Amino acid sequence: WCVKPRIRRGLAATRGYTAALTRPAIPMNSRTAGEADPTLPRDERRLLTRAQLSSAALQLRGTGRSFASLSLREITREAGVVPAAFYRHFPNLDELGLALVDASGATLRRLLREARRTGLPPTQLLRSSVVIFRTYVQQHRAHFLFIASERGGGAPVIRQAIRTEEGHFAQEMAQDMRRLNLMPGLDANTLALLCRLVVATVINAINDILDLPPGNSQAEREQQQELTRQLRMIFLGAQRWREERNPAG
């Protein structure tokens, strides 16, 4: 990250940690028992404890609390570890929040990049990407409730981290579009603008996805079609985009 490169290289970029954190939630007492198991390798115990702390913060947020209102003692109590254990994984609560931001986006970015490399026609690729995004948000509800809340009203360092993560999405999308020769008529700056607009549109759809009652397949299809149509309109407009030339003089 531009804001916290150390976090990206260290805690949050650890694949095992991200995998552990983005698994479906399991009862906290089960995770605590796993952490206490001395037969597990040390690195695995550390990843497990780190994931417990992150999951505990998400669970407490799920009760309607803001991340800024959570205390270290509340999080460690929910995770089933002593408060001193927190500092072996995160130097402060902001760093925990940054790790949650990274974990929320890392796997999703990989899935979307893989989808763009399947060789599907653009229309099918767009529809496939929307399905991947919606499914991932639904499967990781707690993470994206955190993102949606903190994006607009969280601590400045976390808001900046979310904006930086959105920038990574847009940058990777622009790179793949260049590689696939999509929108060849756009210069680099305009393509970057297009990708930022697409990412902003998708991110703004998170609340709509989370607010949809589960099991309503008709509403899910309509929501998916609506988001796909919005993105198609953006791309169709971009195909006809012409840069304004500054008048002489």
Side-chain angles (χ1 to χ4, degrees):
W1 291 355
C2 298
V3 181
K4 291 284 184 178
R6 177 174 57 79
I7 296 300
R8 191 162 184 82
R9 291 194 302 269
L11 300 179
T14 303
R15 289 186 178 183
Y17 164 68
T18 302
L21 180 55
T22 53
R23 292 189 193 112
I26 57 176
M28 192 63 69
N29 58 355
S30 299
R31 293 197 300 272
T32 304
E35 183 225 356
D37 186 352
T39 64
L40 291 174
R42 181 180 178 182
D43 288 347
E44 189 172 337
R45 291 201 306 271
R46 286 180 60 82
L47 289 175
L48 179 60
T49 303
R50 194 177 302 161
Q52 285 178 222
L53 291 166
S54 300
S55 295
L58 291 174
Q59 288 188 19
L60 290 169
R61 270 218 73 265
T63 63
R65 304 272 301 279
S66 68
F67 183 78
S69 73
L70 303 181
S71 71
L72 184 149
R73 289 190 175 275
E74 285 179 299
I75 292 171
T76 53
R77 182 169 60 248
E78 180 73 14
V81 301
V82 297
F86 182 93
Y87 294 106
R88 292 198 288 270
H89 304 279
F90 305 102
N92 53 53
L93 287 173
D94 278 346
E95 299 287 356
L96 171 58
L98 292 174
L100 289 172
V101 172
D102 192 84
S104 300
T107 302
L108 178 58
R109 292 202 341 253
R110 176 179 58 80
L111 291 173
L112 290 173
R113 294 207 79 172
E114 289 174 356
R116 291 194 291 268
R117 292 170 179 171
T118 57
L120 290 172
T123 302
Q124 290 180 248
L125 177 58
L126 180 59
R127 188 178 301 112
S128 173
S129 297
V130 169
V131 171
I132 290 170
F133 177 75
R134 289 192 71 262
T135 302
Y136 191 83
V137 170
Q138 289 171 326
Q139 291 176 345
H140 300 87
R141 181 179 180 84
H143 291 82
F144 285 93
L145 282 170
F146 167 79
I147 294 295
S149 172
E150 299 301 311
R151 184 175 183 249
V157 66
I158 296 178
R159 292 201 308 271
Q160 180 58 49
I162 293 172
R163 286 194 291 269
T164 301
E165 189 68 20
E166 291 175 14
H168 291 318
F169 273 94
Q171 184 179 32
E172 291 177 357
M173 181 180 175
Q175 291 171 351
D176 287 344
M177 289 185 68
R178 279 292 183 225
R179 181 180 56 82
L180 296 169
N181 198 33
L182 299 174
M183 300 289 176
L186 301 183
D187 62 33
N189 289 334
T190 306
L191 180 62
L193 176 61
L194 167 65
C195 293
R196 290 195 299 271
L197 178 57
V198 168
V199 170
T201 301
V202 170
I203 296 298
N204 287 334
I206 288 177
N207 281 329
D208 292 335
I209 294 170
L210 295 175
D211 288 344
L212 196 65
N216 191 334
S217 57
Q218 177 63 28
E220 289 181 0
R221 282 194 298 273
E222 291 174 356
Q223 187 182 78
Q224 178 177 311
Q225 292 168 358
E226 175 74 9
L227 180 55
T228 303
R229 290 181 67 202
Q230 289 176 7
L231 297 177
R232 285 187 64 193
M233 289 181 71
I234 292 173
F235 282 111
L236 288 171
Q239 286 178 334
R240 291 160 175 77
W241 177 266
R242 296 292 180 271
E243 290 289 344
E244 295 182 4
R245 296 185 180 275
N246 292 326

